[in-house]
């Protein structure tokens, strides 16, 4: 969950102000599908949650996001995780 938060933080206007909710299993859904990226096969999940951060005016706002996470199917690739931001609004 922390690695995925880093992906979101990198896309915020004010990354140092980011506040994420505590992780809940309800944030994650199993996509029941696999993708291949850079010759590694991943089983995919979707994480949908929100983050609070400052906007351009310095006001704390809540943004919803959705990220696809891929976990390697083969144990030999266990250090590699796939992330793709679907939306951050």
């Amino acid at each position: 969950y922390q690695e995925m938060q880093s992906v979101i933080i990198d896309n915020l206007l004010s990354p140092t102000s980011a506040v994420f909710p505590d992780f809940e299993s309800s944030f994650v859904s199993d996509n029941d599908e696999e993708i291949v990226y850079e010759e590694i096969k991943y089983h995919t999940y979707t994480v949908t949650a929100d983050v609070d951060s400052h906007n351009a005016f310095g006001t704390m706002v809540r943004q919803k996001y959705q990220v696809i996470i891929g976990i390697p199917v083969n144990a030999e690739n266990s250090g590699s995780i796939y992330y793709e931001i679907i939306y951050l609004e």
Side-chain angles (χ1 to χ4, degrees):
Y1 186 63
Q2 289 177 341
E3 289 179 20
M4 190 231 20
Q5 288 176 350
S6 296
V7 172
I8 296 299
I9 286 171
D10 290 344
N11 288 277
L12 294 174
L13 185 61
S14 179
T16 58
S17 67
V19 178
F20 290 88
D22 290 336
F23 177 78
E24 295 181 19
S25 60
S26 63
F27 295 167
V28 181
S29 60
D30 188 337
N31 296 337
D32 289 324
E33 64 181 38
E34 294 176 349
I35 61 167
V36 175
Y37 178 74
E38 294 185 355
E39 300 181 19
I40 299 174
K41 186 186 286 189
Y42 297 91
H43 184 88
T44 62
Y45 301 86
T46 300
V47 175
T48 305
D50 52 48
V51 59
D52 295 336
S53 67
H54 290 135
N55 64 12
F57 302 105
T59 303
M60 191 66 95
V61 295
R62 179 158 292 163
Q63 294 179 272
K64 293 190 178 292
Y65 66 86
Q66 190 170 64
V67 176
I68 291 179
I69 297 176
I71 306 298
V73 173
N74 298 326
E76 65 211 33
N77 298 319
S78 63
S80 175
I81 298 177
Y82 172 85
Y83 298 97
E84 178 183 346
I85 296 176
I86 303 301
Y87 66 80
L88 174 61
E89 37 184 56

